[in-house]
Each structure stands twice: as structure tokens, then as C-alpha cells.
Amino acid sequence: MVRFYRFVLFTLVLAFVPYIVKSQNQTLGFHIVGDAKKVKIPFEIYSNLIVIPVIINNQLPLKFVLDTGVRTTILTEKAYSDILNLSYNKKYTIAGLGGDKLVEAYVTSGVSLTLPPYIKGKGHSMLVLEEDYLELRNYLGVNVNGILGYEVFSRFVVEINYDTRMLTLTTPEHFKKKRRYDEIPITIEDTKPYIQGTVTYKDGNKLDLKLMIDSGASHGLFLEEDSDDRIYIPENNIKSTLGRGLGGVLDGRIARLAKFEMGDEYWSDLIATFPEENAVLDSIKSTSVFRHGSIGGEILTRFKVIFNYPQEKIYLKKGKSYKKAFTYNLSGIVVKAKGSALQDYEIVAVREKSPGEAAGFKKGDRIVSINNVSTQNMTLSNIIAFLNAKENKRLRLRVRRDGEFYTNRFRLTKQI
């Protein structure tokens, strides 16, 4: 599986945006065309995120992340909605810490969304960002244009098979529980799913936690230190770039825990992510629901997962990746794709005391080749796979810096 640097796609939820529009004559929203009871939709995976095709107003084919953490559909760039001549109900300016402007966004309603070929929906509201503040396409290396969430999960029982990359949507009244799946209760609060989990620190401390299930985040376990006095960052940790929020790059700490339990499932020696306090604020998580953190794609991809919102249950069956070890960015180098073809690869962060820093690589370097293979023949996923392959793997990295070339070798190394 492609390794990414724990890209955290933080929830952007605005309570004043309705997630669906109703008229006196009909209830609008997603439905299956024809008499079928369920529909299968192939999807792509990038950095543990599910990417599906979406057509807006039967005209504009785009790609969206399927995210349990968002209430209202989000379009990441206003340029796309302008192509469709969509009208906007209101404009919002969202301020960050210190009152600095983070986001300008617009609300449009009455939008039709199609998940080709058999899922159609009318009357959707959509939040439209002025610019691609999250830089999804750059950090995933593929043209991703938006985020889709609760509108799908509220209408269907959603089965995600990460092994076959197949999404199955079933009408709730026709869903039948599959055999050999573990059933775990969840709660749906403020349109998002929550589950109970238990973490055990290496010093023996054991905590029961309330966690959001976040399919739109690449991390495994994400803990908010200020949510509970019992949560603390282990002494053996490293400072790292966690991902990108609305205001820019987000930093925090990563450390290993002894154990994480969820229902009958458990893992040992897993990695937990602890964001800086202002990083959480920067994510603009407008929700009144208390939680200790979240679980994301690094855990979900280990299963075949079925979300049953109407009955507040989740069903899990172990997948091919269930027993794989939890790893993190072993090079310490964070890369994003740039340019119209997304084939210009820029180093955007280098972790302190990492192999990448020791080898002299710097923020702003453009990667030209890896192990003598030109990056012009690679995708961002290929590059991330090289930089996060396995411990002790030797890499030869060549970069362009200020018009000159710099080359060095280093070994991938665990820091925790």
C-alpha cells in the first residue's frame, strides 16, 4: 500500500449549511435509479482515502473524497461552480487564530449530484471554497475536487471493501447482515459516527475513549490531548508535520502506544498522532459533540467495513492488511505534487533529526530522481512509496535547488 505522511483531512463543518433541500412535493436527495436494491461503485485509494467519481448537474465530471466526517458536500474550488454558472445564496469569510482570514466560501443549493451510473440526487446544498485551500490534488497527486459525506451515509448502508476497491450502496430496508462480520455499536451525532475504543500506554495506563470514525483522514489513531487530562504524549515521541489544514501545514507529535482495542479487534505497538492545540482549532471543527479523537484510514483499510447509520452499527471483517505493522514516514521528507500534470515534486517539509535532514535535503527542493529513476516517470504515490518503504532501505535522492543539483544517499530509519 502506498505510504503517505499522515495527511489529515480535517472536518470542515458549518452548522448553518443544510445538508439537503426539501420541497412540499418531494424529498430530494440520493436514490438508486430503477428497481435495484443495491449498487456497486469502483473507487480509487490515495493515502488511505476513498476517491469516487461525482458528476455535478449532469455536466461536470469530478472526483470527490468519501468522508464520514463532513455533513455538507464541499467543492474545493469556485472555478468549477463558476463553469456551471451556479448561483450563490451567501458568502462567508472564516477567520482563523488572531482574526486572520483563512477561508472564503460560498453556499449554493439545488445542486444535482450523480455517482455514475445509478446513484442520482437532487436538491443538494454545497459549500464552495474560493480556492483549494486544502490542496487536495497536490497532496494526493491526483485531481480531487471535493468531499462528499453524510448525504451518502444517511441514505444507504455503505459497504467499503478496501481490498477490492469496491463501494456497495444498499437501501436500508433491503440490507441483510453478512455472516462472519463483527458487529459494533456506534452513535450518529451531528451527522458523524462515533465509536468506543480503548488505548493502553506503554507504562500501563489504560483509557476508554470516544472516537469519531473518519474515513476522510489518512491517520490511524488521532488523540486530542486537551480533551481529557488522562491523555498525554508519551515521552518517546517525534515532532512531525501531520498534514494540511485550512490555514496551512499542521504540526504535532507522533508516538507509539502499547495497544488499541475496538470491539473484539485490537492492535499492538500502533502509532498515535497528537496535534498541536492550535492545529485542531485551525481545522474549524464546528461541532458540539464531545470526543477524545478519531480513527482514520490507517485502521479502516485493514477491514471490509459496513456503515449502517439507520441502525447505528458498524460491521467489520478482517481484510488483507489487518496484521500489517504500523509505520510512519521513515525518511522524514514530505512531498507534494505541483504543476498542471502534477509531476513536479516539491519537498514541503523535512522532519527534524530525520534521515532526510541528516542527508541535507531542504524545504523547497524539487525531486529529480530516486535511485537513478527520473521522477518524470513516477506518480506522487510512487515517490511516497520510495520514501516510506522499509527500515534500512537505501535511497539515492537527486534534487534541484536554486538552479543547481544536489545528490545524496541515506537509509530509511525508525525514530520511534
Side-chain angles (χ1 to χ4, degrees):
M1 178 181 293
V2 173
R3 288 295 175 198
F4 200 54
Y5 75 100
R6 310 285 170 192
F7 177 87
V8 180
L9 179 60
F10 284 114
T11 304
L12 179 63
V13 175
L14 302 178
F16 46 75
V17 182
Y19 66 86
I20 200 166
V21 176
K22 295 183 178 180
S23 72
Q24 294 181 348
N25 299 324
Q26 59 180 331
T27 298
L28 305 179
F30 282 119
H31 66 278
I32 299 176
V33 176
D35 298 326
K37 307 300 186 296
K38 63 181 179 180
V39 169
K40 293 183 178 293
I41 302 173
F43 64 84
E44 302 167 9
I45 297 179
Y46 299 95
S47 184
N48 294 332
L49 306 186
I50 301 162
V51 176
I52 60 174
V54 176
I55 301 174
I56 299 179
N57 282 3
N58 301 312
Q59 299 178 61
L60 187 60
L62 300 172
K63 291 184 178 182
F64 280 43
V65 171
L66 184 64
D67 186 353
T68 55
V70 298
R71 171 187 300 185
T72 304
T73 300
I74 299 171
L75 186 64
T76 57
E77 288 184 78
K78 185 171 176 285
Y80 293 112
S81 55
D82 287 346
I83 291 173
L84 298 173
N85 293 316
L86 298 184
S87 59
Y88 306 106
N89 303 335
K90 194 169 183 180
K91 177 181 177 180
Y92 296 94
T93 298
I94 305 170
L97 298 173
D100 294 334
K101 183 183 73 174
L102 285 182
V103 173
E104 287 190 345
Y106 303 80
V107 177
T108 183
S109 54
V111 177
S112 73
L113 300 173
T114 300
L115 312 184
Y118 299 117
I119 302 293
K120 293 185 179 294
K122 296 181 179 179
H124 292 274
S125 291
M126 187 163 64
L127 184 69
V128 181
L129 304 184
E130 177 73 39
E131 302 173 17
D132 186 8
Y133 300 99
L134 292 171
E135 296 189 25
L136 289 179
R137 65 189 299 272
N138 303 106
Y139 282 94
L140 296 181
V142 65
N143 283 311
V144 176
N145 318 104
I147 310 167
L148 184 65
Y150 183 70
E151 296 98 323
V152 174
F153 291 93
S154 64
R155 287 304 181 98
F156 304 103
V157 175
V158 179
E159 177 181 349
I160 303 170
N161 190 326
Y162 286 97
D163 290 340
T164 63
R165 303 191 179 189
M166 186 65 68
L167 187 73
T168 303
L169 306 182
T170 304
T171 55
E173 60 270 23
H174 295 103
F175 171 74
K176 294 182 180 179
K177 179 187 173 183
K178 294 188 175 184
R179 298 175 60 185
R180 294 183 292 178
Y181 276 70
D182 293 332
E183 178 182 307
I184 302 177
I186 62 174
T187 59
I188 307 300
E189 304 175 55
D190 192 26
T191 73
K192 303 170 193 64
Y194 293 85
I195 195 168
Q196 296 297 316
T198 302
V199 299
T200 303
Y201 281 83
K202 290 186 179 292
D203 60 11
N205 281 337
K206 191 172 184 178
L207 310 178
D208 293 326
L209 305 175
K210 180 180 180 180
L211 304 168
M212 187 180 80
I213 306 173
D214 192 353
S215 68
S218 287
H219 65 254
L221 181 63
F222 179 91
L223 298 178
E224 298 176 20
E225 188 181 10
D226 61 348
S227 68
D228 195 310
D229 291 339
R230 301 173 302 160
I231 297 176
Y232 58 93
I233 303 175
E235 184 176 347
N236 184 20
N237 69 78
I238 57 176
K239 184 175 181 180
S240 182
T241 295
L242 305 182
R244 183 175 177 83
L246 295 172
V249 172
L250 306 179
D251 294 319
R253 301 276 174 173
I254 61 175
R256 289 191 181 271
L257 301 181
K259 190 176 183 181
F260 173 61
E261 302 167 74
M262 185 176 66
D264 293 331
E265 315 297 343
Y266 70 91
W267 298 269
S268 300
D269 200 34
L270 78 157
I271 288 174
T273 300
F274 300 83
E276 293 180 353
E277 181 180 358
N278 59 347
V280 176
L281 294 173
D282 176 66
S283 69
I284 312 185
K285 296 181 179 181
S286 297
T287 176
S288 59
V289 179
F290 172 82
R291 69 183 184 204
H292 296 100
S294 63
I295 60 171
E298 180 69 6
I299 287 177
L300 294 176
T301 54
R302 297 163 187 263
F303 295 98
K304 299 174 184 177
V305 185
I306 300 176
F307 288 93
N308 189 340
Y309 277 31
Q311 294 187 10
E312 294 192 305
K313 295 177 181 178
I314 188 174
Y315 308 93
L316 301 175
K317 184 178 180 181
K318 294 177 182 178
K320 296 178 181 178
S321 301
Y322 181 78
K323 293 184 178 181
K324 71 179 181 180
F326 287 84
T327 62
Y328 61 99
N329 186 332
L330 299 179
S331 66
I333 295 174
V334 179
V335 182
K336 74 176 181 180
K338 301 184 71 175
S340 58
L342 295 174
Q343 288 188 314
D344 181 10
Y345 303 107
E346 178 184 350
I347 296 177
V348 294
V350 181
R351 191 173 63 237
E352 293 179 4
K353 301 180 181 179
S354 68
E357 183 187 63
F361 295 103
K362 300 179 179 180
K363 178 180 178 180
D365 289 350
R366 303 296 177 93
I367 301 177
V368 175
S369 67
I370 302 177
N371 289 352
N372 298 318
V373 179
S374 171
T375 55
Q376 291 183 348
N377 302 314
M378 297 185 191
T379 65
L380 181 61
S381 294
N382 297 146
I383 290 175
I384 292 169
F386 270 114
L387 296 176
N388 304 290
K390 60 182 179 180
E391 190 175 19
N392 292 322
K393 182 177 178 63
R394 191 174 180 87
L395 295 183
R396 182 180 188 273
L397 210 64
R398 183 173 174 82
V399 301
R400 186 175 66 254
R401 179 189 303 164
D402 298 327
E404 299 182 355
F405 292 97
Y406 174 79
T407 305
N408 205 349
R409 293 178 173 86
F410 61 94
R411 290 186 183 274
L412 300 180
T413 306
K414 289 183 179 179
Q415 289 184 265
I416 55 170

